[in-house]
Amino acid sequence: QVQFVESGGGLVQPGGSLRLSCAASGHIFSAMAWYRQAPGKQRDLVAGILAGGLTNYADSVKGRFTISRDSAKNTVYLQMNSLKPEDTAVYYCNGANSVNWASLSDWWGQGTQVTVSS
C-alpha cells in the first residue's frame, strides 16, 4: 500500500520560508510532485520532479519554491521562500505522471497545513 507522510508546515509571516518534507513508502515513483489545496478550491500542482532531476513549477511559485528529492530515502522536499498569503493551503505529495504531472495514486496523505499571515 502506498503511503505519503507530509510534514514541515506551519504559520509563517509573509516573506518567510518553510521547508516541507514528504516520505513515500510502498512504491517508488519515477516522478513525484507537490500539490496544494486551498479552502473551496481544487487541488493543484505546485511543483514536480523527475528521477533525473528535471523539475516543473506552477507559474505562481516559480523563482520562490524549489523542489528536490532524495531517492535513497524515497523523500521529496519543497523549499518555499518569499511566501505570500495566497500560498496558504494544505500541501500534499504524490507520485506524478511525468508528462502531464497528474497525480498517480488515489491514496493521499494527511497533508501539511501552510498558513501565511501577519
Side-chain angles (χ1 to χ4, degrees), residues 45-112:
L45 175 71
V46 176
I49 185 167
L50 300 181
L54 184 69
T55 57
N56 180 59
Y57 296 93
D59 288 343
S60 60
V61 307
K62 283 181 180 177
R64 300 187 298 122
F65 290 11
T66 302
I67 188 171
S68 61
R69 67 189 297 174
D70 184 335
S71 296
K73 297 181 179 179
N74 209 13
T75 299
V76 63
Y77 306 96
L78 187 67
Q79 177 66 43
M80 306 187 297
N81 299 328
S82 302
L83 282 161
K84 303 176 181 181
E86 51 264 44
D87 295 318
T88 295
V90 179
Y91 285 69
Y92 303 88
C93 73
N94 204 317
N97 181 297
S98 60
V99 175
N100 61 17
W101 298 100
S103 58
L104 291 179
S105 175
D106 291 333
W107 296 95
W108 292 88
Q110 81 288 348
T112 187

Side-chain angles (χ1 to χ4, degrees), residues 32-48:
M32 293 195 70
W34 284 95
Y35 304 84
R36 67 186 180 187
Q37 187 169 22
K41 296 187 177 181
Q42 66 181 19
R43 186 152 39 198
D44 291 327
L45 175 71
V46 176

